[in-house]
Structure formats: C-alpha cells, structure tokens
Amino acid sequence: MTLLALEGCDVFYGKAQALHRVSLGIEPGEVVSLIGRNGAGKSTILKTMIGLNRATGGRRLWKGGDVTALRPDQLGRLGIAYVPEDRRIFSNLSVDENLRIATVMGRKGGWNAARVHKLFPVLRERASQPGDTLSGGEQQMLAIARGLLTNPEVLLLDEPTEGLAPLIVDQLVEAMRLINAEGMALLLVEQNLRVPMKLAHRQYVIDHGAIRWTGTTADLQANRDDIEKLISL
Ligand code: ATP
C-alpha cells in the first residue's frame, strides 16, 4: 500500500498558483526523487506532504487514509519526517542536544543515538560542539540524524547535497543508501540528476508546478537527454 501520496493537489501562494494538480506517491521502502530547476515547485510539494502548505484542491493520503486536514506535528507522529533545505539546526545547542530534542519529540523505534553515531561518526566526535560550528556537510548529517531519531517511516529530504563538496556528497549518498537498506523510504528533492541516478528507484520531473515526467531510473537513463532539457536553466 502506498505510504504517502498527494492526489490532485493545487497550492497557491497568494494569487500565484505554485502547484497544479500534483499527484505522486511513495511506497514503503522506496527511494523516490523529485527533480527540477530552481523554482519548479519541488519544495512546495514536500511542504504540502508534511502539512506546511495547505492544498486548496486535492488530498493527502497516508496508507490510503485521508490525512488532508492534519497539521505537521500530527503528520510527524504518523511517521513522516522532514529535513528542510536550510536544515534548521539549533545553532547555540550542542550536536548532542540537537539530537536529544529529536529523541524526545519523536516516536519510539529502532533508531537511537548509537545507531546514528555509527552512521555518522563525526556526530559523536563533535557531540559537545555548538551546531553552528559544524561544516555544511556535518550540519546535513546532523539534520538527517535528527530526522532518523524521530523514527519515521518516510524521510523527506530537501536538496540534501546542495552546495557540498563531491567527497561529502558521496558520503551522504552512501549514508542514504544504508538508511534505505534498513527499510526507510526516502523522498529526495534535487536540482540535477547526479544523486537521483545513483540512489532512487523512481523519479518525478517537476516544472512550472506540475509533474512533467515520471518513470523508473532505467526509464530516466533511456530518456536522459530530453529530461536534462526539462531541468536545465
Ligand atoms: P528551489 O530549488 O529554489 O527550492 P523549488 O523547485 O523547490 O525551487 P519552490 O520553492 O517550491 O520551488 O517554489 C515554487 C514557486 O513558488 C516559485 O515560483 C517560488 O517563487 C514560489 N514560492 C515559494 N515559496 C513561496 C512563498 N512562501 N511565497 C510566495 N511564493 C513562493
């Protein structure tokens, strides 16, 4: 059964329509990418899934049930975690304190401090440092770790590799692969094909607030030139 889905969603910012009849879904254990250029509507889709944006038309579904009216905190308790583009690390709290908040706020489950430290050893090394002393890559690791500690069934990740050095991107890709291998569904927003091609099972291409193309990663490879055109600036 589809874990999380949007069905025919329209979203407006004031009078400007940001999403047009968007329908998409993610299955348990799947990695799905939303790809598109700057301003295409990708973040708006994630925010609609976690309840930060209200759709004027359409529905949000969780395991087939209608959860359109639920707030972000209620959706979080169902098992949806969101790692925003700006990461929202508490800059004056230590790495450990950032993690502890997620543990306290989250659901019970198999993800604990020891497990996120194993995944991202640097978070143990930097446990007592303030959040704002971490590099961009380390902050992203902390943001993902915090999401995991809420023990969700699906993790929504907004441009987790944006602006990071290739070596760090490779580390994050490996970590996301491991997280998925342990059963977590991932919905990943990216502006280019690099990470989605390595990681995702299925892809959606977004442009001007609508889904322009969807298919498997093999389909994407076969249509790569056309899709590059859809997402190029
Ligand atoms: P980015 O890569 O920049 O995050 P995106 O594909 O995620 O791009 P969105 O952030 O979803 O795109 O933006 C979609 C459209 O909605 C853009 O035209 C953007 O300017 C507009 N928009 C986004 N947030 C707001 C807001 N809070 N108020 C008004 N317009 C907004």
Side-chain angles (χ1 to χ4, degrees):
M1 181 191 295
T2 304
L3 206 50
L4 177 62
L6 297 181
E7 232 179 49
C9 283
D10 292 319
V11 172
F12 288 82
Y13 293 115
K15 285 189 178 147
Q17 187 162 4
L19 295 187
H20 302 263
R21 296 289 155 111
V22 165
S23 298
L24 56 83
I26 178 162
E27 306 297 319
E30 216 182 11
V31 182
V32 172
S33 297
L34 307 182
I35 315 162
R37 67 184 112 197
N38 212 318
K42 306 177 301 297
S43 301
T44 302
I45 292 175
L46 284 201
K47 287 179 188 164
T48 307
M49 291 184 119
I50 190 65
L52 292 168
N53 284 329
R54 185 165 286 278
T56 49
R59 302 194 299 165
R60 181 191 307 113
L61 300 173
W62 175 253
K63 298 181 178 174
D66 191 324
V67 293
T68 311
L70 296 194
R71 296 185 310 263
D73 57 311
Q74 295 170 315
L75 294 165
R77 280 198 289 278
L78 286 181
I80 308 169
Y82 168 56
V83 181
E85 201 171 354
D86 61 10
R87 300 168 192 142
R88 308 270 168 83
I89 303 300
F90 293 109
S91 55
N92 52 349
L93 297 186
S94 71
V95 167
D96 237 16
E97 287 165 338
N98 269 278
L99 294 177
R100 246 182 283 146
I101 289 173
T103 308
V104 172
M105 303 287 286
R107 299 161 11 120
K108 302 231 177 305
W111 283 97
N112 54 29
R115 208 158 149 211
V116 299
H117 282 154
K118 188 159 175 243
L119 186 66
F120 298 123
V122 72
L123 298 181
R124 183 191 285 125
E125 291 159 25
R126 306 232 185 285
S128 56
Q129 281 183 221
D132 62 359
T133 63
L134 301 188
S135 70
E138 290 163 353
Q139 286 192 16
Q140 188 61 53
M141 291 172 193
L142 178 54
I144 293 173
R146 219 168 44 175
L148 291 172
L149 286 175
T150 68
N151 280 293
E153 289 182 55
V154 58
L155 196 54
L156 314 181
L157 298 156
D158 200 345
E159 300 197 28
T161 67
E162 192 203 4
L164 301 177
L167 202 65
I168 309 295
V169 172
D170 289 347
Q171 282 179 20
L172 284 168
V173 167
E174 201 40 46
M176 288 188 274
R177 209 194 298 281
L178 282 169
I179 293 164
N180 174 247
E182 298 190 18
M184 183 82 66
L186 302 176
L187 183 61
L188 181 70
V189 160
E190 287 286 337
Q191 283 197 29
N192 57 52
L193 301 182
R194 209 165 26 126
V195 172
M197 293 296 287
K198 285 187 193 160
L199 210 56
H201 306 112
R202 256 177 347 105
Q203 320 268 351
Y204 291 93
V205 177
I206 318 299
D207 194 32
H208 288 94
I211 294 169
R212 301 292 166 182
W213 186 89
T214 183
T216 64
T217 302
D219 295 335
L220 177 60
Q221 184 63 46
N223 295 283
R224 189 158 183 161
D225 288 349
D226 290 339
I227 288 165
E228 291 275 14
K229 275 181 215 142
L230 265 181
I231 64 173
S232 62
L233 294 171

